[in-house]
Amino acid sequence: MLLAHRIELKPNHRQATFFAKGCGVARFAYNWALERWQQRYKDGKKVDEALLRKELNAIKREQFPWMLEVPKSAVQQAVKDLGSAFDHFFRRVKNGEKPGFPRFKKRGVNDSFRIDNGPARPGADAVKVKGSAIRIPKLGWVRMREPVRFRGQSKQAIISRQADRWYVSILVDTPHHPNQPRKNHGGAVGVDLGVKALATLSTGEVVEGPKALNRLLRKLRRLNKQLSRKQTGSHNRRKAQMALARLHRRIGNIRKDALHKLTTQLVLNHDIIVIEDLNVSGMMQNRHLSRHIADASFYELRRQLEYKAKLYGCEIVLADRFYPSSKTCSNCGAVKAELKLSERIFRCDTCQFEIDRDLNAAINLEKLAVSFTDRVNACGGMSAGSDAEAPPSEAHPVKQEADIEQVRITPNRFE
Ligand SMILES: [Zn+2]
């Protein structure tokens, strides 16, 4: 199983400069390839990323000698990333969606570069990890905040900047084992993600969101306003931008931490977890900022649940996006025609049942798990969560939730 662990780096001044250069080169290569792609397309010529990589390789020594100062794969991976961006674009066109065309990268927006470990041969351009340090080709050893949590061969490293900090995401090929064994098999649970509370479970448990978040959200609004008043290109504007980026990072970290705690508890205690396919309740909110946060939380929750479900051996069931989890009475099954967002208590017109709105939705979601198991049992007998007994782990004990993502096994990941 391929797992990535994202760790903060502690570069010195020279190393941070090198990273900035790596990002700059990768961005340049990406934009160069995008321009060439469009040109060849206009000229009616065949184009793909392999062709552009070859072309760039042939001219870079002459035309862009500074590219040689960063790891070779940073250049190649950038062009491959463009190939993935086009793959993604064409796939979505084929599906009848309306995707945006791949765009030129801007400085300061998602700055990153990728170093791949090719086939092992002596002197190869490779990443090495040892304890709390990582060796970057053409740079040397850089300190990390913590060691990598997984044992196995490191396949690639993505170095990225968020506000004023540097991070490395290390992809490790690791044997499949969870950090902790499952505690118990609590059957199915429905999870309704909210804006006020982080989540309401069908067991009746309400998981409050982190308290610090509301205060920070108010601050975010204020900083946004302040930024809009600063003059374009001014030093003060740059300062305000950095303050805003730092705050975004902090909010994101707090949110992620809360979600990690929630999702770990969910996969440790339940065999089947049912969530909505889209965060419908979040989408109905008209407060712009809280909506944005809730949506982001939803995608993050789903991402975490999906990889943790694989690690710990439980099932995730996604409710159809048109399933009326909020409008259905969890007692008698009657569906209301209309339910205002302000109605925090669900009152059934048919059976007079009264229940908290979010709990009602969570219970309805849990009910979907029953039909899910029936379906699975009917078509082949593999009941959900049957392979859940996990072997005790040899990995590092979990003190704090790691920022781990499961990665789809494709050679080119589009980010
Ligand atoms: Zn009812």
Side-chain angles (χ1 to χ4, degrees), residues 329-334 346 348-353:
C329 171
S330 59
N331 188 40
C332 74
F346 180 94
C348 180
D349 304 324
T350 312
C351 72
Q352 314 307 323
F353 182 62

Side-chain angles (χ1 to χ4, degrees), residues 17-29:
T17 310
F18 181 91
F19 291 156
K21 195 189 276 174
C23 292
V25 168
R27 181 173 58 244
F28 181 92

Side-chain angles (χ1 to χ4, degrees), residues 159-171:
I159 300 205
S160 61
R161 170 159 52 190
Q162 209 182 355
D164 48 358
R165 287 187 197 158
W166 289 98
Y167 296 86
V168 62
S169 177
I170 302 169
L171 185 65

Side-chain angles (χ1 to χ4, degrees), residues 31-309:
N31 289 344
W32 174 90
L34 179 52
E35 207 181 318
R36 288 294 299 145
W37 189 298
Q38 289 170 320
Q39 191 56 47
R40 288 189 70 92
Y41 182 77
K42 256 187 225 155
D43 298 345
K45 286 183 191 157
K46 181 184 165 284
V47 61
D48 61 43
E49 59 89 15
L51 201 118
L52 291 177
R53 255 186 301 146
K54 238 188 216 163
E55 190 182 332
L56 183 56
N57 247 335
I59 62 166
K60 74 176 180 193
R61 210 164 281 274
E62 281 275 301
Q63 293 190 25
F64 317 119
W66 35 265
M67 279 189 173
L68 306 176
E69 292 168 28
V70 302
K72 194 170 61 189
S73 52
V75 178
Q76 292 170 347
Q77 294 304 330
V79 182
K80 279 191 190 172
D81 283 347
L82 179 73
S84 309
F86 271 107
D87 286 348
H88 182 69
F89 172 77
F90 291 132
R91 209 179 315 126
R92 290 191 60 186
V93 170
K94 217 174 135 193
N95 291 344
E97 295 166 62
K98 282 182 193 152
F101 195 77
R103 281 196 237 172
F104 288 99
K105 285 193 194 274
K106 276 189 199 153
R107 181 165 184 261
V109 183
N110 301 328
D111 279 344
S112 74
F113 65 98
R114 190 147 67 112
I115 309 163
D116 253 42
N117 272 356
R121 57 197 148 77
D125 209 23
V127 180
K128 257 189 215 151
V129 178
K130 203 174 173 188
S132 295
I134 181 167
R135 197 185 69 102
I136 308 290
K138 298 203 172 161
L139 177 66
W141 293 94
V142 182
R143 287 190 300 156
M144 304 190 289
R145 288 246 173 245
E146 58 174 324
V148 181
R149 272 163 212 264
F150 312 112
R151 287 175 193 181
Q153 209 209 334
S154 27
K155 293 289 200 188
Q156 73 169 22
I158 299 171
I159 300 205
S160 61
R161 170 159 52 190
Q162 209 182 355
D164 48 358
R165 287 187 197 158
W166 289 98
Y167 296 86
V168 62
S169 177
I170 302 169
L171 185 65
V172 182
D173 195 358
T174 185
H176 177 126
H177 61 68
N179 284 319
Q180 289 165 278
R182 294 275 300 280
K183 279 182 193 149
N184 54 51
H185 299 273
V189 66
V191 182
D192 181 71
L193 271 194
V195 175
K196 268 194 188 136
L198 185 64
T200 306
L201 313 187
S202 56
T203 54
E205 196 183 331
V206 179
V207 183
E208 293 295 337
K211 289 235 164 60
L213 214 51
N214 278 332
R215 188 173 52 82
L216 292 178
L217 287 180
R218 277 200 301 279
K219 197 172 166 194
L220 187 65
R221 242 170 249 136
R222 204 172 63 230
L223 283 188
N224 258 321
K225 224 176 269 168
Q226 281 174 5
L227 177 69
S228 67
R229 295 196 189 108
K230 300 275 188 288
Q231 217 162 17
T232 322
S234 69
H235 182 62
N236 277 334
R237 189 182 173 87
R238 234 177 311 140
K239 263 188 357 201
Q241 264 167 344
M242 185 53 80
L244 193 63
R246 265 194 234 115
L247 187 60
H248 267 295
R249 182 181 63 202
R250 188 148 165 237
I251 290 173
N253 286 346
I254 291 174
R255 203 187 65 214
K256 247 185 179 177
D257 181 57
L259 288 172
H260 268 306
K261 284 173 185 146
L262 169 64
T263 51
T264 297
Q265 282 317 304
L266 286 173
V267 295
L268 282 179
N269 292 307
H270 299 280
D271 295 326
I272 307 177
I273 299 154
V274 193
I275 53 172
E276 280 170 313
D277 191 10
L278 269 181
N279 186 11
V280 181
S281 52
M283 284 187 339
M284 287 193 301
Q285 282 274 334
N286 47 20
R287 293 294 289 279
H288 192 75
L289 196 60
S290 59
R291 184 191 110 179
H292 175 79
I293 300 289
D295 285 357
S297 291
F298 176 76
Y299 287 108
E300 176 62 19
L301 175 109
R302 187 165 151 187
R303 183 187 75 77
Q304 291 180 9
L305 273 183
E306 277 172 359
Y307 84 72
K308 287 182 188 178

